[in-house]
Amino acid sequence: MDHKDRFLRLSLSEPDLAADHVLAAYILSPAEGHDFLNTAAAFAAESGRGTQVPLAHEDDFSRALDVIAYQAEPATGLIKLAFPLALFDFNLSDGKASITSFLNLLVGNTQGMSEIDAVKLHDFHLPAPFLKAFHGPATTIARLWQHLGRDPLSGGMITGAILKPKLGLRPEGLADAAYQFWLGGDLVKNDQPQGNQSFAPLKSTLRRMADALTRAQDKTGEAKIFSANITADSPTEMDMRTELAIRAFKHNPDSLTFHVDAYLAGPMALPHARRRLPKHFISAHRAGHAAITSARSNRGYSAFVLTKINRLLGASGIHTGTMGFGRMEGDEADRPIACMIAQNVASGPYFEQDWHGMNRSAAIVSGGINALRLPSFLQNLGHSNFILAAGGGAFGHVDGPQAGALSLRQAEACWLERADPIEFAAEHPEFARSFPSFEADADIIHPGWRRALAQDSSNQ
Ligand code: RUB
């Protein structure tokens, strides 16, 4: 069947379509022997009608709901599709837009079409009425800055850690690691698989964590934050874990935030948490996402798309990677990912998105970051208004988690002062000790550091 006549309309205007369609930009490569333009049209046909054959019982109404390919560039593989808003499913329970329907239409059955060698969603645009039909974040990083006693408009880096090792510590070990970090840092979060293991029953871990937070607040005189992992494989279980955390932290309710493994738990998990916690700060972890978002994968959707979806679904904090400065995939060009979630109007790779006042999400920066790597990350991003969640960079410091936390705080100060890190190290011992803590990084980032720091200490 030639689909071009009905499903390929390259004369349509994107601004006109944008008002009442969801727009989507893909990079598509046809299977061997398949024409690009006809494959793009077939992709559009399948996206809307779900079949490739004429249907005698179709009428004008259903034909008016066709998904149309309005841009197709054989040279780059770029195609853009327009999805009529009427195609999308809305929840009976609260009238909110359904993310499962959104994913079904944009990255559903079409991913497996035999005419296609590969197709990946790189950006999408939502018109105001549809965007507002998603929950969006209940609160923002301003809430955390206020809790920490900082400027709610620009409170700077929230120095946080992900409890490491990700599995193996018992409740007292987890609580002690958290306490030690809180003596120097602001926030501790569970790592993504930390839940209700036999050696660390959740109830006991949460009780000890809450006690450690209270002791750290008393010791330092500073407010602290915990991000409790409530990820589970059913909404009922998620609710049970949420209740346990709320009870455990009943004496410090404002210190409690929540963490959901938003990719692994599936698209239902974050919306469920957001409905259950209409006032709380929820962080979206993205463990596992690289299986489809990796730049080395040409199917599924990009990390940019996942990040944008997480803001729509209500994540106040979103793991956005380290843009090539850490140990996970990514590069400096990923900067738009952090901008898209933190601004009211932002440009993606193919569309400018107006968020119409939807609460902003904060970037959660994690993955191989330590005090030595942080200054160049900050230089690339251009600000430090985000949540840092260092694992090894906090707990791998030779002088322990408190020193690890202080070294990260000092690294932010070093960048804010635009100071030379070697000179800065002379006045900041925890930062100085991050050099021997992360020698391989030190050798690359600051060759000759051993002699320079030795001279510093001999000059003192
Ligand atoms: C960080 C860590 C994080 C992932 C998140 O540990 O394990 O869960 O790196 O990555 P470390 P992302 O600091 O020791 O690398 O934020 O890119 O999803």
Side-chain angles (χ1 to χ4, degrees):
M1 178 178 173
D2 186 309
H3 298 88
K4 289 200 294 286
D5 289 350
R6 178 171 168 184
F7 298 100
L8 188 65
R9 284 192 229 146
L10 304 181
S11 59
L12 293 178
S13 139
E14 182 166 277
D16 294 345
L17 291 167
D20 55 3
H21 289 74
V22 167
L23 306 182
Y26 302 81
I27 297 298
L28 178 147
S29 50
E32 186 72 31
H34 286 265
D35 164 72
F36 178 81
L37 291 179
N38 199 43
T39 305
F43 183 75
E46 180 69 29
S47 295
R49 302 172 67 249
T51 184
Q52 305 278 330
V53 297
L55 300 171
H57 60 291
E58 274 192 302
D59 59 19
D60 289 347
F61 180 84
S62 69
R63 274 188 286 273
L65 294 181
D66 281 349
V67 173
I68 300 298
Y70 66 93
Q71 199 170 328
E73 296 174 4
T76 60
L78 174 65
I79 62 167
K80 288 187 178 180
L81 266 54
F83 293 76
L85 290 184
L87 294 178
F88 294 91
D89 177 359
F90 286 75
N91 280 278
L92 293 168
S93 55
D94 59 8
K96 303 305 275 184
S98 159
I99 189 60
T100 44
S101 159
F102 176 84
L103 292 171
N104 217 325
L105 285 164
L106 273 73
V107 280
N109 237 6
T110 48
Q111 287 288 304
M113 289 173 67
S114 57
E115 305 91 316
I116 289 173
D117 175 52
V119 61
K120 186 166 193 171
L121 177 64
H122 283 271
D123 200 354
F124 62 87
H125 175 270
L126 305 187
F130 192 51
L131 181 133
K132 291 174 180 174
F134 287 93
H135 281 100
T139 185
T140 69
I141 192 172
R143 165 94 166 273
L144 305 187
W145 281 329
Q146 276 175 318
H147 177 64
L148 296 172
R150 297 189 197 168
D151 174 355
L153 296 178
S154 174
M157 186 174 84
I158 293 182
T159 303
I162 290 190
L163 285 163
K164 296 291 182 181
K166 74 177 173 181
L167 289 173
L169 291 183
R170 286 161 292 180
E172 47 277 69
L174 283 165
D176 183 55
Y179 174 78
Q180 295 300 328
F181 181 83
W182 271 319
L183 291 182
D186 303 312
L187 177 147
V188 169
K189 71 195 295 268
N190 281 128
D191 207 345
Q192 69 269 13
Q194 289 168 359
N196 187 46
Q197 279 78 9
S198 57
F199 55 80
L202 184 63
K203 196 169 184 177
S204 167
T205 302
L206 284 169
R207 206 173 50 242
R208 287 178 182 276
M209 203 57 78
D211 170 66
L213 181 134
T214 302
R215 287 185 289 111
Q217 291 188 147
D218 293 347
K219 176 92 173 172
T220 61
E222 298 163 354
K224 303 297 174 184
I225 299 164
F226 179 63
S227 177
N229 186 10
I230 54 171
T231 307
D233 61 8
S234 79
T236 309
E237 180 69 20
M238 284 181 72
D239 291 348
M240 281 180 75
R241 295 178 183 220
T242 301
E243 278 314 308
L244 275 180
I246 290 172
R247 276 208 295 277
F249 282 82
K250 62 180 180 289
H251 298 306
N252 292 292
D254 292 342
S255 292
L256 181 61
T257 68
F258 296 89
H259 157 141
V260 176
D261 294 333
Y263 172 79
L264 287 176
M268 193 169 66
L270 190 49
H272 177 75
R274 177 66 179 75
R275 290 182 169 101
R276 173 67 191 72
L277 295 159
K279 296 189 174 67
H280 281 81
F281 191 100
I282 301 172
S283 300
H285 200 286
R286 58 181 192 168
H289 72 100
I292 58 162
T293 65
S294 169
R296 288 173 279 186
S297 155
N298 50 18
R299 284 177 173 268
Y301 49 83
S302 65
F304 174 86
V305 165
L306 175 63
T307 305
K308 196 167 172 179
I309 288 174
N310 282 338
R311 178 175 178 182
L312 282 175
L313 298 185
S316 298
I318 302 174
H319 277 255
T320 51
T322 54
M323 302 168 201
F325 293 91
R327 67 185 172 99
M328 310 297 264
E329 272 192 3
D331 61 39
E332 295 175 34
D334 288 344
R335 200 168 168 281
I337 288 184
C339 298
M340 178 50 68
I341 58 174
Q343 293 170 5
N344 190 45
V345 178
S347 295
Y350 295 99
F351 303 111
E352 180 178 88
Q353 181 68 61
D354 185 333
W355 289 87
H356 302 288
M358 180 179 274
N359 270 339
R360 302 162 192 227
S361 307
I364 299 177
V365 174
S366 180
I369 282 285
N370 55 44
L372 301 178
R373 292 178 181 229
L374 192 53
S376 42
F377 173 84
L378 291 168
Q379 186 59 29
N380 177 61
L381 186 62
H383 66 82
S384 62
N385 285 323
F386 57 76
I387 298 167
L388 180 73
F395 296 104
H397 194 285
V398 289
D399 298 329
Q402 180 179 1
L406 292 173
S407 74
L408 293 162
R409 261 198 222 288
Q410 290 163 9
E412 181 199 16
C414 177
W415 178 73
L416 289 171
E417 295 167 21
R418 301 298 189 271
D420 171 78
I422 295 292
E423 291 171 11
F424 189 84
E427 306 297 322
H428 300 86
E430 292 82 4
F431 181 71
R433 295 279 285 167
S434 62
F435 286 73
S437 297
F438 311 107
E439 280 190 328
D441 286 348
D443 289 339
I444 295 166
I445 302 168
H446 303 290
W449 63 272
R450 290 178 180 79
R451 188 173 354 92
L453 293 191
Q455 274 168 353
D456 281 346
S457 55
S458 63
N459 293 343
Q460 280 176 355

